[in-house]
Amino acid sequence: MALYESEHTKFMREWMEKHPEQKGEQQQGRALWWDKPQDAETRTRQNAAKVPPKPYYYQTDN
């Protein structure tokens, strides 16, 4: 059974094969937006500050 591969994925694979110099730029872009250092203390404070959602989202009375 063959796995599905989208046209976009095929295009990107071919593009990266033809333009290997783009690998470094791709990694820089990922580091800019996604690969951020994690701070355990900040994450703990954020988790403690979360407000649980209401059981019924559209309920307006408290």
Side-chain angles (χ1 to χ4, degrees):
M1 180 178 174
L3 298 175
Y4 172 76
E5 187 173 61
S6 70
E7 293 295 322
H8 179 73
T9 302
K10 290 177 187 176
F11 169 78
M12 290 307 297
R13 285 190 203 283
E14 291 173 8
W15 172 264
M16 293 305 282
E17 287 174 6
K18 294 177 184 175
H19 301 90
E21 70 279 0
Q22 293 294 316
K23 185 70 171 171
E25 188 173 338
Q26 180 187 30
Q27 290 174 344
Q28 288 176 349
R30 179 185 168 113
L32 177 68
W33 292 104
W34 298 105
D35 297 337
K36 301 289 182 184
Q38 300 296 311
D39 181 20
E41 182 181 331
T42 302
R43 175 56 57 195
T44 302
R45 284 188 288 125
Q46 289 173 343
N47 287 341
K50 284 186 179 178
V51 177
K54 295 180 181 180
Y56 181 65
Y57 184 78
Y58 297 104
Q59 184 175 356
T60 56
D61 58 348
N62 294 331

